[in-house]
Amino acid sequence: MSNGKGANAAQNSSQMTLKECLDECMEALDLFLNNHFTESLERLRPRVNESMYHALIYATVLEMQAMMTFQPDDISNAGNTMKSAQEVCQRFRRKSPGLTNKSVGESLTEVQLHAEVCYAECQLQRAALTFLQDENMVSFIKGGIKVRNSYLIYKELHSLIKSPKCLKGPSHIHLEGGISFGIGAFNLTLSLFPPRILKVLEFAGFSGDKEYGLSLLHEGATGLNLRSMLCALLLLCYYTFLTFILGTGEGDVAEAERLLKPFRLRYPRGAIFLFFAGRTEEIKGNIDEAVALFEDGCKAQQAWKQFHHMCYWELMWCFTYKRAWKMAYFYADLLSQESLWSKAMYVYMKAAYLSMLPKDEARPFGEDEVELFRKVPTFKQKIAGKSPPTEKFAIRKARRYKAPSPIKLPVPVLEMMYMWNGFSMISKRPGLTEGMMETLTEAERTLLESPANEYSADDRCLIHLLKGLCLKNQGLLQAAEECFNKVFSSEKKIRFDHYLVPNSLVELSLLFIDQGRRDEAIKLLHKAKHNYKEYSMESRTQFRIHAALAKLKADPGEEEDTHL
């Protein structure tokens, strides 16, 4: 490939080469989406040192694999490959000052414009790996700097392609797709972050416009360009996961299904799309249909077991919603044996499912929940120098079983289900909510019949919180409000599970939003946000508060918050 500085003939040849490269990368992606993962990489590998797009897509596939395997060697290999890809992109970039110089921007060749967008994407993906891999804060800050540099390139490119003087070459649609992906991803992602977390990540002054981000990603996803798959996957993640885990639990299923439709027709056995189709059915409360799709996703390919693990995780929750504890245990057991993502979490869930079975019922494989709970802390891991919050939470809850005669956790499965916003998943199926209510009523009866102990107040409050969610699902809003208020009024009695109070305030505020009680909701959200610190899963609760305030278009009131 020429860098575009030669004679006209060389420039024409470089444009042809750029088109050929893009066509071949599109073919490689097509193989990838049809589950031919090895063939996809083999198609890309011969040109990774000479073509910026081959280098970028090859490194992207390796990064996706690393994020699923979680093997340190895979993460390191993906990081080195992405660094090499960035060096390949650098060779095609203009050597003169940045794009902000108008005359420089307008005189860039097509190849140089593509080099800018590929370079920015490499930086962004390297930053993601930095956050995943390195254990010291210096590296974390370096990741933040890479993200900022990447954002500035995207921003300048976005202004540039709007200019009437900007060169529109034969592959302009791919350039636009790359910029839509970059600007869209930044706006959507940053809109999810509470301002104080952005400060910690050195992003003070940056903010994201969610609707603008979504519209750009939709543009990218529906165009026939190299990034359409990445745009679609990010949107599917947002609609089916992020809105539940970091939001108020209202994924846009209709939008997810519209996005999936063309991909499902083109790749009927594509494991990625079977997975997201399963997730949309799960959100609709069609649990049996979801189970069938996740099982199909596992059968569709055997090359990447990591896809299976994503399906196992969802299957575990599907059987949880049906209260099929042994089936859910089976998938937690498979994960604990095969996946490196979070062994502490998987072993905790195994123990939790066994603890839901009647005392006299035989345990699968002769395992004992008390022994499993005691093992949970031994599987602790660190990412970016810290243990993942869900893992910390599992370890904290399992501590109770250290005692020679431990006091049983009342409903550990339902508590973890709440952490993953599972109660909104069953809201459309009255039978599933009814089943959970039966489990909670039984647990409450057991608590009342047992002698009081140091955990009694915490356990009662947990049951009030979860019953409140079930009552809300059943439309019994006054009774739900009473349950959430019981938790708040017991604040001084809670000894260990301090997360219950701010979360009950968040749930009460969401109830008020549904009833149109906007001002009361905002007041509660500010209380939850500013009055409670250093409790379990705090950052996830802060994300949910931020999402609820954004939904109400309320001022986040950040000036009151002096804590970083």
Side-chain angles (χ1 to χ4, degrees):
M1 262 196 189
S2 153
N3 65 2
K5 288 184 180 175
N8 285 345
Q11 284 199 356
N12 290 338
S13 129
S14 86
Q15 285 176 6
M16 277 299 293
T17 312
L18 179 66
K19 186 178 182 310
E20 285 168 11
C21 288
L22 282 159
D23 288 345
E24 192 163 58
C25 287
M26 289 285 277
E27 286 167 21
L29 266 184
D30 208 52
L31 286 167
F32 179 80
L33 296 174
N34 264 319
N35 308 328
H36 302 303
F37 308 123
T38 308
E39 296 93 318
S40 171
L41 289 169
E42 281 168 1
R43 179 72 62 92
L44 294 163
R45 194 178 291 117
R47 302 191 71 176
V48 292
N49 295 320
E50 60 186 72
S51 154
M52 56 184 152
Y53 275 111
H54 282 71
L56 171 64
I57 301 300
Y58 184 79
T60 301
V61 172
L62 288 188
E63 178 161 344
M64 285 170 75
Q65 187 177 22
M67 286 184 160
M68 285 187 289
T69 65
F70 227 56
Q71 292 273 14
D73 290 351
D74 287 349
I75 295 171
S76 172
N77 182 32
N80 292 333
T81 310
M82 194 59 77
K83 188 180 180 188
S84 302
Q86 190 174 324
E87 286 161 7
V88 172
C89 298
Q90 179 62 38
R91 294 208 303 268
F92 294 96
R93 293 177 81 204
R94 177 127 178 177
K95 305 296 182 283
S96 54
L99 301 173
T100 39
N101 182 323
K102 196 162 181 269
S103 60
V104 169
E106 288 170 359
S107 66
L108 289 178
T109 66
E110 186 180 25
V111 168
Q112 288 167 340
L113 283 167
H114 280 265
E116 289 296 326
V117 80
C118 289
Y119 184 87
E121 202 167 310
C122 286
Q123 278 212 315
L124 190 57
Q125 298 205 39
R126 284 184 68 199
L129 282 168
T130 304
F131 293 140
L132 195 70
Q133 177 188 31
D134 287 348
E135 294 204 0
N136 60 66
M137 200 59 192
V138 175
S139 299
F140 214 59
I141 300 297
K142 276 184 188 169
I145 291 166
K146 284 191 188 92
V147 173
R148 282 207 307 287
N149 292 344
S150 171
Y151 179 67
L152 293 172
I153 295 172
Y154 278 124
K155 208 173 165 189
E156 288 166 4
L157 278 170
H158 195 240
S159 302
L160 191 61
I161 64 163
K162 298 288 177 210
S163 156
K165 291 183 182 174
C166 174
L167 172 76
K168 286 186 170 60
S171 301
H172 191 71
I173 187 170
H174 296 289
L175 180 70
E176 283 185 322
I179 296 166
S180 289
F181 172 68
I183 300 276
F186 271 106
N187 273 282
L188 178 59
T189 310
L190 293 185
S191 75
L192 301 175
F193 279 83
R196 72 191 189 101
I197 292 180
L198 289 179
K199 283 181 203 166
V200 173
L201 289 177
E202 302 280 303
F203 270 97
F206 281 83
S207 64
D209 181 333
K210 185 177 84 174
E211 296 310 320
Y212 181 54
L214 287 171
S215 71
L216 282 175
L217 288 168
H218 273 282
E219 267 175 42
T222 49
L224 287 171
N225 67 80
L226 189 68
R227 272 46 166 240
S228 60
M229 184 268 284
L230 280 177
C231 291
L233 287 182
L234 182 53
L235 285 169
L236 287 168
C237 278
Y238 172 72
Y239 289 131
T240 65
F241 280 99
L242 296 178
T243 49
F244 285 88
I245 297 163
L246 304 179
T248 55
E250 293 155 349
D252 193 333
V253 180
E255 206 53 69
E257 287 183 318
R258 261 196 295 276
L259 273 169
L260 269 172
K261 196 176 180 183
F263 288 102
R264 290 292 315 280
L265 289 169
R266 192 169 175 185
Y267 307 103
R269 301 299 298 151
I272 297 175
F273 301 115
L274 284 167
F275 174 77
F276 279 111
R279 183 71 188 170
T280 55
E281 291 302 329
E282 193 181 342
I283 292 165
K284 290 193 299 190
N286 301 333
I287 305 302
D288 293 337
E289 290 85 343
V291 167
L293 284 159
F294 292 132
E295 286 174 348
D296 278 353
C298 292
K299 289 175 201 156
Q301 62 83 36
Q302 298 302 318
W304 275 17
K305 289 291 280 184
Q306 300 77 34
F307 276 136
H308 293 194
H309 300 157
M310 289 159 58
C311 293
Y312 294 166
W313 176 256
E314 294 305 318
L315 284 161
M316 180 186 87
W317 288 115
C318 284
F319 287 110
T320 300
Y321 304 145
K322 290 162 74 94
R323 297 192 303 159
W325 309 131
K326 278 188 180 173
M327 281 301 290
Y329 162 88
F330 168 72
Y331 284 106
D333 185 52
L334 275 176
L335 286 164
S336 74
Q337 292 176 50
E338 294 181 15
S339 171
L340 292 181
W341 254 96
S342 178
K343 278 202 184 296
M345 169 62 87
Y346 304 143
V347 173
Y348 179 83
M349 291 312 293
K350 277 176 66 173
Y353 289 120
L354 293 182
S355 78
M356 303 298 286
L357 299 174
K359 262 185 188 174
D360 53 357
E361 194 169 323
R363 270 44 180 165
F365 311 119
E367 288 204 285
D368 174 67
E369 57 263 38
V370 174
E371 287 310 308
L372 286 171
F373 276 125
R374 286 173 180 164
K375 281 181 191 167
V376 170
T378 64
F379 296 109
K380 186 178 184 178
Q381 63 176 339
K382 290 201 167 184
I383 301 166
K386 293 183 175 182
S387 295
T390 46
E391 207 164 86
K392 270 189 189 165
F393 182 72
I395 290 165
R396 197 170 288 145
K397 297 299 295 187
R399 270 186 206 146
R400 202 188 273 208
Y401 288 83
K402 275 184 179 176
S405 303
I407 292 156
K408 194 178 174 235
L409 287 165
V411 280
V413 171
L414 276 61
E415 183 175 27
M416 196 60 86
M417 178 177 148
Y418 171 67
M419 288 301 178
W420 294 91
N421 217 338
F423 284 86
S424 56
M425 303 290 263
I426 61 169
S427 62
K428 294 173 187 71
R429 286 286 174 268
L432 297 178
T433 294
E434 217 169 279
M436 290 298 165
M437 198 58 155
E438 281 172 24
T439 298
L440 287 165
T441 307
E442 181 58 40
E444 191 172 39
R445 187 162 49 245
T446 304
L447 266 183
L448 290 169
E449 290 168 1
S450 305
N453 59 66
E454 58 184 329
Y455 299 106
S456 297
D458 298 56
D459 290 349
R460 275 199 302 274
C461 286
L462 170 63
I463 287 170
H464 290 321
L465 174 65
L466 302 182
K467 277 181 78 174
L469 293 162
C470 288
L471 291 163
K472 180 186 172 187
N473 282 357
Q474 293 173 327
L476 302 168
L477 304 188
Q478 185 57 47
E481 185 176 335
E482 284 167 20
C483 278
F484 298 139
N485 275 321
K486 276 179 189 170
V487 181
F488 179 58
S489 61
S490 305
E491 182 176 356
K492 299 239 177 336
K493 295 175 190 167
I494 291 173
R495 295 185 60 184
F496 305 99
D497 295 327
H498 300 290
Y499 81 91
L500 291 167
V501 179
N503 277 275
S504 69
L505 291 174
V506 172
E507 297 306 336
L508 189 53
S509 73
L510 295 176
L511 187 71
F512 286 171
I513 292 170
D514 290 347
Q515 294 173 304
R517 296 158 69 179
R518 183 179 183 274
D519 293 345
E520 289 172 88
I522 292 171
K523 200 174 169 186
L524 285 178
L525 288 165
H526 282 305
K527 185 183 278 191
K529 180 177 183 173
H530 299 299
N531 293 7
Y532 302 93
K533 304 284 173 212
E534 293 170 16
Y535 53 86
S536 294
M537 307 285 282
E538 182 183 354
S539 59
R540 194 171 288 193
T541 305
Q542 290 288 351
F543 273 102
R544 295 186 71 217
I545 293 168
H546 176 69
L549 286 168
K551 184 180 174 181
L552 292 166
K553 296 188 167 48
D555 174 18
E558 210 54 45
E559 65 282 353
E560 303 164 39
D561 192 357
T562 53
H563 295 79
L564 281 188

